[in-house]
Amino acid sequence: QKWGLFDSRVSFQFLGNATCDFKDGNCTPYTTTKGSKELVAPRAYQVQVMPDENTSNTTSSKHYQYSIQVHKRLVDARYLQPDLPISTAPKFDFDATKINCVPVNEIFDVSDGESGSGLPKFSNNNNSHPEYYVVIGAGKTGMDAIVYLLTQKSIPPSNLLWIVPHDPWITAREDIGNCMEFLHDATTTQFVSKQQEQQQGNDTNRKDLQSIAVVQATFQLWEQQGKIYRLFDDETASLPTKFNDATLSKQELEVIRSLPKDQVIRGHGRVTHIHSDTGALVMQNGSTVALPWVAINNIADTDDTNDVILQKTTYVHCSAGAFNYTKQVGLQPKPVFDAINQIITLQDVYGTPGFCFVGSILGKLESLGDDVLDDAQKNVLCQVPLPPAQPDALGPSGGDVGGLSKDHGWVQRLCNLRQWLKMPQLRDWLVGHRLFNLGHYATADEIERLVEETWAILKEASLVED
């Protein structure tokens, strides 16, 4: 099985054949004293460099073992480890001996694009030159797979089938907004304050911020402003129900829309099973989707047709759900700053598309030192989502568009940002920060004005409190 090597585990393999085992049993802490404080440090982590069987280099034929001493803190970045197709097996059933299903990486061919790119071929299957592709998944990975197959591999649109379980809202690359500005527009344009309500003499226009209608109305507002696209230009369709901040340019969007509408399977839910005899896909809503190649390309309908079609068809797995974080399922919540074990666990304190900024802000907080903030105070500045609940058999399906709540990611980020702006050490540092999605604002006062206007309305709606 392609995915057998990438099971969730605590031991990792690094470049150069180094392996590092972070199991607690291999940690050997001891106590040191810094002033009046006792620190649990360093911890020893065993690192092994194994011989490389694929090289004749004599220096790599030896076995080495090192002990890494962590004198200050261990930074654990695994908590935000994304679910990727190459490391997360499909949740749908299929016979791997008859169905050629590959992670999206394997559609790459070193002959595509610039020469000498150095990117590898991952596939060792016999179907090295497929004619037909079924792309399963409609997140950013699935969108990119469609664009790549059409533009880089020149696959005819008639030779593609795309499974789109739910229609998503798309962030426009030409005018990228951000979650704080969206939250501001959702509150200030959709919510009628009590004062406004009294001035109008009625409560008919008052909207509940916890209603999905408020968020959807703001998406439609941003669509009119050119900040948001629909994946498909279909005015008769229902509003998109997903948003994971997938970003496309107008050009990429037009490439995707060049697919024939009857070869984009929308609204049937996710794939649950692929038939090994016909290659047909069984969908979450109970329907069955047949491969369209026979009818489209006038292939002779013989007894061998199905076998030939399956040999020429590759199913592309793009349904891992990068931000589902299934490796966190069942875990207990962790503090970002762990004073007892001297560990910093990177977590979603500001969220997509700010994961680079997350590392930056946590590093800044740590750099202030205990004299400014102890770990308990730092954790107050870092609200984070709870670990995901146990998903169903098909795994989680993230990005549902819903109403606002106290635990909504955007509301949590606003709470964190409001506190950061109150700290002199962070306030001016945020202005002009190229990783911060409000870093383009000229002053901290401008950022604070947006935050406080949003906060006041969320407070009136009982979604936040001082």
Side-chain angles (χ1 to χ4, degrees):
Q1 291 280 343
K2 295 179 178 68
W3 289 274
L5 180 63
F6 299 99
D7 294 336
S8 176
R9 60 186 68 178
V10 191
S11 296
F12 295 85
Q13 184 168 350
F14 297 96
L15 293 177
N17 293 319
T19 62
C20 190
D21 190 349
F22 287 103
K23 292 180 180 178
D24 291 339
N26 289 334
C27 299
T28 55
Y30 63 83
T31 301
T32 61
T33 303
K34 179 182 179 182
S36 61
K37 296 182 179 180
E38 286 191 347
L39 301 179
V40 181
R43 287 175 175 265
Y45 296 95
Q46 302 303 316
V47 179
Q48 298 185 41
V49 181
M50 304 300 293
D52 189 343
E53 298 177 355
N54 298 318
T55 181
S56 59
N57 190 336
T58 57
T59 60
S60 65
S61 62
K62 298 179 181 179
H63 173 249
Y64 300 93
Q65 181 166 313
Y66 302 91
S67 181
I68 297 177
Q69 303 293 329
V70 180
H71 290 272
K72 180 64 176 175
R73 288 185 188 262
L74 175 71
V75 179
D76 187 351
R78 296 171 296 165
Y79 206 75
L80 290 180
Q81 185 177 353
D83 292 353
L84 303 177
I86 195 172
S87 59
T88 304
K91 298 297 190 294
F92 49 84
D93 298 323
F94 66 96
D95 184 343
T97 65
K98 297 181 179 180
I99 300 297
N100 184 45
C101 181
V102 301
V104 64
N105 308 66
E106 291 200 23
I107 66 174
F108 178 81
D109 189 317
V110 291
S111 65
D112 297 329
E114 297 182 4
S115 60
S117 63
L119 291 175
K121 288 184 178 180
F122 291 99
S123 180
N124 293 317
N125 57 64
N126 294 326
N127 193 3
S128 58
H129 298 288
E131 295 183 18
Y132 310 108
Y133 291 87
V134 179
V135 177
I136 301 176
K140 175 60 174 169
T141 303
M143 298 173 200
D144 287 348
I146 292 293
V147 172
Y148 178 81
L149 289 168
L150 289 170
T151 62
Q152 300 300 310
K153 296 188 78 71
S154 300
I155 303 299
S158 60
N159 287 18
L160 290 176
L161 183 68
W162 191 16
I163 306 300
V164 180
H166 309 278
D167 280 16
W169 289 108
I170 305 298
T171 297
R173 190 178 299 281
E174 293 80 5
D175 188 8
I176 295 179
N178 61 73
C179 58
M180 291 297 99
E181 292 172 331
F182 186 97
L183 189 59
H184 180 265
D185 285 352
T187 53
T188 58
T189 66
Q190 302 299 320
F191 185 79
V192 178
S193 68
K194 291 181 179 179
Q195 182 180 2
Q196 291 172 309
E197 184 180 271
Q198 292 171 356
Q199 291 173 349
Q200 294 171 1
N202 62 72
D203 61 354
T204 56
N205 293 321
R206 189 172 179 82
K207 292 186 178 180
D208 183 1
L209 289 180
Q210 299 183 58
S211 167
I212 188 175
V214 168
V215 176
Q216 290 286 38
T218 309
F219 275 123
Q220 290 174 286
L221 173 65
W222 274 34
E223 183 182 24
Q224 295 170 5
Q225 297 173 352
K227 296 180 180 179
I228 287 287
Y229 299 138
R230 301 184 195 214
L231 189 55
F232 304 102
D233 189 11
D234 186 352
E235 296 180 357
T236 62
S238 301
L239 290 175
T241 59
K242 294 283 186 178
F243 178 71
N244 266 324
D245 211 13
T247 303
L248 293 174
S249 67
K250 287 184 178 179
Q251 182 179 7
E252 292 170 317
L253 195 62
E254 290 308 312
V255 170
I256 287 175
R257 289 176 176 175
S258 70
L259 283 177
K261 290 186 177 181
D262 57 356
Q263 286 177 246
V264 180
I265 309 303
R266 301 164 58 188
H268 292 251
R270 291 182 284 177
V271 176
T272 63
H273 176 74
I274 301 176
H275 285 294
S276 57
D277 51 351
T278 64
L281 301 100
V282 179
M283 308 305 295
Q284 200 171 7
N285 66 353
S287 63
T288 299
V289 177
L291 297 180
W293 326 132
V294 174
I296 292 175
N297 295 289
N298 296 317
I299 299 174
D301 188 7
T302 67
D303 293 340
D304 297 328
T305 295
N306 288 333
D307 290 339
V308 172
I309 289 297
L310 288 180
Q311 290 174 8
K312 295 183 177 182
T313 300
T314 290
Y315 297 78
V316 185
H317 168 38
C318 301
S319 59
F323 304 133
N324 290 332
Y325 307 124
T326 55
K327 296 176 181 64
Q328 293 183 27
V329 170
L331 297 181
Q332 293 297 316
K334 293 183 179 182
V336 174
F337 295 91
D338 183 348
I340 297 176
N341 297 300
Q342 291 298 300
I343 292 177
I344 299 175
T345 302
L346 300 188
Q347 297 185 56
D348 186 4
V349 299
Y350 201 70
T352 58
F355 288 133
C356 294
F357 176 69
V358 164
S360 181
I361 185 66
L362 295 183
K364 179 64 175 179
L365 289 172
E366 172 67 6
S367 73
L368 297 178
D370 293 343
D371 295 337
V372 177
L373 293 172
D374 61 26
D375 280 358
Q377 292 169 320
K378 293 173 191 172
N379 285 326
V380 171
L381 300 174
C382 296
Q383 292 189 31
V384 295
L386 293 173
Q390 186 66 40
D392 60 25
L394 288 178
S397 179
D400 289 325
V401 175
L404 300 176
S405 67
K406 293 181 179 180
D407 296 327
H408 195 288
W410 295 342
V411 176
Q412 285 186 338
R413 293 168 205 172
L414 183 82
C415 293
N416 289 339
L417 178 56
R418 187 169 184 262
Q419 295 186 93
W420 299 339
L421 287 168
K422 293 180 179 180
M423 291 194 62
Q425 298 89 341
L426 299 178
R427 183 180 178 86
D428 292 333
W429 176 81
L430 290 168
V431 179
H433 194 309
R434 66 185 183 87
L435 300 178
F436 177 42
N437 60 14
L438 296 178
H440 58 285
Y441 280 52
T443 66
D445 289 343
E446 291 183 22
I447 300 174
E448 188 170 51
R449 189 178 303 113
L450 178 142
V451 169
E452 291 301 330
E453 287 176 357
T454 308
W455 179 272
I457 296 175
L458 290 176
K459 183 178 179 180
E460 186 175 332
S462 299
L463 293 181
V464 297
E465 57 185 26
D466 291 314

